[in-house]
């Protein structure tokens, strides 16, 4: 059996809408956060889950971690039912929510780690070995006596990740872990997650809006929308369906002459630079290069695909998300 098995998962919430003018009470409605979602994840997998706000990503993580009980469906993680075998389950999982902190705000992070050590009943040797390993990998060695409130956002996220992995869990749930982080912090976090997954075969389920995280970390991606699973497969295959445009940027030694195509490509000019946008099926370099060279001496040329965020936005539009 798969390490994570989800079949027919359904979860609904009752919400009260804003009170209408003249009404005494607010209307109560039922929102179906998850509708018949099914998937399997093998041990050691690193899977990304994407979708717009309200798609059901965080609800899925909360069910898998035992925080929520579903209305219907079968869910097992490592042979355990998360919300029924909660004590055994939480000893084997790590959870990081990008906007919620588990460490104590006003005390040195080392004190928070010591409390987590007692909560997970780690031996002194196991705790010290794992703490040294994680603080080295996450660059936290010089910050152990610093309170969480004095750290930058990137440092706090690394400290949170260290706390969630102290007990060496079998699976790590990450919900928007890089939200608000700068580029350097994001790269460091991605490098660490790849190392943890490779070194210990830690199963990682990542939900995020940051497609660079997905592209850098996950070979498999699931798309959720309106509480339903819309896609489950490789990221490259998903993007290939929407990767239909190419931008060719040509830099000339001098201001180039006219460049005219019979049809298709769109040409824009700025000084010595020409930019051509065309569909992938219109990109015939054997035909294009002579036209570009006749316009002047080419100094540099690049061909770029669409930005990955634009591709995902196009996918959302097509799926009516």
């Amino acid at each position: 059996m798969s390490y994570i098995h989800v079949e027919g998962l359904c979860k609904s919430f009752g919400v009260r809408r804003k009170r209408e003018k003249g009404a005494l009470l607010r209307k109560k409605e039922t929102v179906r956060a998850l509708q018949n979602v099914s998937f399997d994840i093998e041990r050691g997998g690193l899977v990304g889950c994407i979708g717009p706000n309200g798609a059901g990503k965080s609800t899925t993580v909360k069910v898998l971690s035992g925080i929520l009980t579903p209305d219907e469906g079968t869910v097992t993680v490592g042979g355990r039912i998360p919300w029924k075998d909660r004590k055994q389950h939480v000893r084997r999982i790590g959870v990081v929510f990008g906007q919620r902190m588990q460490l104590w705000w006003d005390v040195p992070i080392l004190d928070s780690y010591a409390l987590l050590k007692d909560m997970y009943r780690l031996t002194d040797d196991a705790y010290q070995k794992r703490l040294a390993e994680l603080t080295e990998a996450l660059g936290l060695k010089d910050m152990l006596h610093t309170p969480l409130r004095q750290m930058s956002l990137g440092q706090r996220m690394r400290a949170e990740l260290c706390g969630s992995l102290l007990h060496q869990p079998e699976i790590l749930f990450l919900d928007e872990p890089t939200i608000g982080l700068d580029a350097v912090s994001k790269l460091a976090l991605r490098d660490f997650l790849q190392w943890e997954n490779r070194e210990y075969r830690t199963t990682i389920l990542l939900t995020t809006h940051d497609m660079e995280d997905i592209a850098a970390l996950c070979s498999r991606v699931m798309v959720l929308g309106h509480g339903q699973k819309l896609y489950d497969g490789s990221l490259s295959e998903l993007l290939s369906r929407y990767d239909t445009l190419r931008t060719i940027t040509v830099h000339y030694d001098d201001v180039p002459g006219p460049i005219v195509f019979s049809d298709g490509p769109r040409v824009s000019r700025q000084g010595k630079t020409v930019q051509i946008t065309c569909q992938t099926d219109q990109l015939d370099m054997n035909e294009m290069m002579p036209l570009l060279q006749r316009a002047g001496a080419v100094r540099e040329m690049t061909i770029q695909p669409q930005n990955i965020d634009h591709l995902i936005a196009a996918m959302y539009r097509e799926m009516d998300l």
Side-chain angles (χ1 to χ4, degrees), residues 31-301:
V31 175
R32 302 201 70 183
L34 294 172
Q35 302 179 54
N36 198 32
V37 173
S38 301
F39 60 86
D40 289 277
I41 298 177
E42 300 298 326
R43 177 72 190 273
L46 209 168
V47 179
C49 184
I50 63 174
N53 291 331
K57 305 184 301 297
S58 295
T59 302
T60 300
V61 170
K62 289 175 181 177
V63 170
L64 291 174
S65 57
I67 296 173
L68 293 177
T69 300
D71 302 328
E72 299 176 34
T74 301
V75 178
T76 57
V77 180
R80 304 175 299 275
I81 299 174
W83 58 92
K84 288 185 177 179
D85 307 320
R86 190 167 295 172
K87 286 187 178 180
Q88 293 77 14
H89 186 58
V90 296
R91 292 177 182 175
R92 293 171 172 83
I93 68 171
V95 183
V96 175
F97 291 99
Q99 301 185 51
R100 295 178 180 86
M101 298 293 172
Q102 67 169 332
L103 303 182
W104 281 260
W105 187 246
D106 291 310
V107 302
I109 59 172
L110 186 60
D111 292 350
S112 292
Y113 295 157
L115 183 57
L116 290 171
K117 165 186 175 289
D118 293 338
M119 288 172 58
Y120 287 111
R121 299 177 183 176
L122 302 177
T123 65
D124 289 339
D125 289 344
Y127 168 71
Q128 292 297 339
K129 180 181 177 181
R130 184 63 168 161
L131 181 65
E133 181 179 56
L134 289 174
T135 52
E136 175 70 29
L138 290 165
L140 293 170
K141 273 190 167 184
D142 298 329
M143 302 178 190
L144 289 174
H145 298 285
T146 304
L148 196 68
R149 59 181 169 78
Q150 295 179 8
M151 293 182 169
S152 68
L153 181 59
Q155 291 168 344
R156 291 203 299 268
M157 188 53 61
R158 283 184 278 139
E160 284 287 326
L161 195 54
C162 179
S164 294
L165 291 169
L166 274 175
H167 57 298
Q168 204 162 325
E170 299 170 358
I171 182 167
L172 178 64
F173 297 111
L174 298 170
D175 190 25
E176 300 285 356
T178 61
I179 189 168
L181 299 190
D182 58 58
V184 174
S185 298
K186 285 183 180 181
L187 291 173
L189 201 61
R190 291 169 191 159
D191 288 343
F192 172 77
L193 292 174
Q194 288 175 324
W195 175 83
E196 178 73 16
N197 174 256
R198 182 176 61 250
E199 194 75 11
Y200 293 105
R201 292 189 68 237
T202 305
T203 306
I204 298 176
L205 178 60
L206 167 69
T207 71
T208 182
H209 287 294
D210 192 326
M211 288 309 303
E212 294 298 330
D213 287 344
I214 298 290
L217 293 170
C218 306
S219 58
R220 175 184 169 191
V221 62
M222 292 188 292
V223 180
L224 294 183
H226 303 304
Q228 302 176 61
K229 188 181 76 172
L230 304 175
Y231 176 83
D232 188 352
S234 71
L235 179 62
S236 58
E237 180 183 342
L238 176 65
L239 295 181
S240 67
R241 302 181 186 180
Y242 304 93
D243 189 12
T244 59
L245 284 179
R246 290 291 181 273
T247 300
I248 303 165
T249 303
V250 186
H251 300 283
Y252 288 89
D253 288 335
D254 294 301
V255 177
I259 301 172
V260 180
F261 296 99
S262 56
D263 59 6
R266 186 175 71 251
V267 180
S268 61
R269 307 164 65 96
Q270 186 174 2
K272 300 178 182 180
T273 300
V274 173
Q275 198 167 73
I276 302 158
T277 305
C278 63
Q279 299 287 329
T280 52
D281 57 2
Q282 299 170 337
L283 184 61
D284 186 347
M285 294 308 296
N286 291 326
E287 176 187 337
M288 194 173 289
M289 279 305 298
L291 290 173
L292 297 176
Q293 290 172 333
R294 277 199 294 271
V298 177
R299 178 163 54 88
E300 182 181 353
M301 183 174 71

Side-chain angles (χ1 to χ4, degrees), residues 19-27:
R19 188 172 59 188
E20 297 178 0
K21 188 175 181 180
L24 294 176
L25 300 173
R26 291 184 296 170
K27 288 185 178 180

